[in-house]
Amino acid sequence: MQHTTYHGGCLCGWIRFAALGPADNPHTCECRFCQQHTGALSAPWVEFPRERVTWTGEGGMPATFRSSDYSSRAFCPRCGSSIGAIDDAPTVALLLGGFDQR
Ligand SMILES: [Zn+2]
Ligand SMILES: [Zn+2]
């Protein structure tokens, strides 16, 4: 988990990310936002400082939906895959299911 670069993205490949480790705060969340955002009862997350996440796909940054007063949910505008959450605090949380290596 040291300085690995993690890659991943959405179902259609339009949104891709490269995140430089270490990954912070691995956790699952069962709040109502995460359930509705992902369609799953429990969502597995890891977090990175914003400057360590690069959006490498053709689509650039994911589309966002303002879900609370401190965070926006990120998703692919083409295939609808949930990607993560982009907080106002300089943190990007990524859903583990989209990572190439899990
Ligand atoms: Zn997509
Ligand atoms: Zn949650």
Side-chain angles (χ1 to χ4, degrees), residues 35-77:
Q35 290 182 336
Q36 291 190 304
H37 175 53
T38 62
L41 292 175
S42 177
W45 294 101
V46 289
E47 296 175 354
F48 298 89
R50 183 178 296 199
E51 70 274 8
R52 289 205 261 116
V53 178
T54 310
W55 301 104
T56 54
E58 238 184 301
M61 276 192 72
T64 54
F65 171 76
R66 190 76 181 165
S67 56
S68 70
D69 57 7
Y70 61 89
S71 186
S72 296
R73 299 291 166 150
F75 59 96
C76 172

Side-chain angles (χ1 to χ4, degrees), residues 29-35 45 73:
C29 186
E30 290 81 35
C31 80
R32 192 65 186 138
F33 291 126
C34 287
Q35 290 182 336
W45 294 101
R73 299 291 166 150

Side-chain angles (χ1 to χ4, degrees), residues 9-41:
C10 68
L11 197 55
C12 77
W14 181 244
I15 303 297
R16 296 282 303 165
F17 59 77
L20 179 63
D24 298 328
N25 190 25
H27 68 286
T28 57
C29 186
E30 290 81 35
C31 80
R32 192 65 186 138
F33 291 126
C34 287
Q35 290 182 336
Q36 291 190 304
H37 175 53
T38 62
L41 292 175

